[in-house]
Amino acid sequence: MNPLLAPDAKPDFPSIRPEHVTPALDVLLADAEAALAAVTGGSVPADYHAVSKALDVPLERLRRAWTLVSHLQAVADTPAQRAAYTENQPRVTAFYTRLGADERLYAIYKAIAAQDEALNDEQRQALRHALRDFVLGGAELQGAARQRHAEIQSHSQQEIVHEA
């Protein structure tokens, strides 16, 4: 099994190889895209628990795997590891840039915020943070400003890769 797809809480760093990165991200990005499509396509109600159930697991699995890849890139840099990271970094950045600026998902989160009385304090806080992140991610930007924001995000990530 690909160690980047393992559900274990403790990462198995010695087992992770550069050749695991692209296949794992193929699966994890597809799962995250499918979850996003389900939530924004209307098959998931605009309810805190339903949206969380649909999105949280695939997004956390992607975040976890990419964090492991990034950590290995930082502490165990090899030409193969660097190549795997550099090849996949634009894909991950593009997904998170789209996710953070997705107007449909932002509208769903705003609709959930309107149901504030149904949420506990922790959920309200998580929702406030999510709404803030959408604003910071460019969800309220339009046209050229939205495109420029995406370019800046991509350029910033490319600089991080080149500095590493």
Side-chain angles (χ1 to χ4, degrees):
M1 176 176 191
N2 187 323
L4 291 170
L5 297 174
D8 300 331
K10 183 178 173 188
D12 184 10
F13 284 110
S15 296
I16 300 171
R17 303 278 180 254
E19 59 269 17
H20 294 134
V21 176
T22 297
L25 289 173
D26 288 346
V27 169
L28 297 170
L29 285 167
D31 289 351
E33 292 282 5
L36 178 60
V39 169
T40 59
S43 64
V44 175
D47 168 77
Y48 183 90
H49 298 290
V51 171
S52 179
K53 183 177 179 181
L55 274 179
D56 286 353
V57 170
L59 292 179
E60 176 58 20
R61 288 183 70 219
L62 174 60
R63 185 209 59 77
R64 180 182 186 276
W66 188 244
T67 298
L68 297 176
V69 171
S70 298
H71 177 73
L72 285 172
Q73 166 61 23
V75 301
D77 186 26
T78 66
Q81 184 67 32
R82 189 176 323 117
Y85 178 86
T86 303
E87 173 186 329
N88 287 285
Q89 182 271 335
R91 299 169 60 203
V92 174
T93 299
F95 173 77
Y96 279 115
T97 299
R98 279 193 329 277
L99 179 73
D102 192 299
E103 293 174 357
R104 302 163 302 165
L105 188 58
Y106 183 40
I108 291 167
Y109 274 80
K110 289 192 294 189
I112 293 169
Q115 307 164 9
D116 190 56
E117 68 280 349
L119 304 175
N120 65 36
D121 291 340
E122 293 80 12
Q123 292 164 337
R124 281 189 198 98
Q125 180 71 3
L127 187 57
R128 278 193 297 272
H129 287 184
L131 291 169
R132 176 206 59 208
D133 292 347
F134 275 108
V135 172
L136 294 174
E140 293 184 341
L141 298 174
Q142 299 295 319
R146 176 181 285 265
Q147 178 61 33
R148 180 68 180 133
H149 183 271
E151 290 169 4
I152 291 168
Q153 293 290 97
S154 178
H155 181 72
S156 296
Q157 288 300 315
Q158 289 172 5
E159 284 186 4
I160 291 169
V161 168
H162 288 104
E163 289 174 3

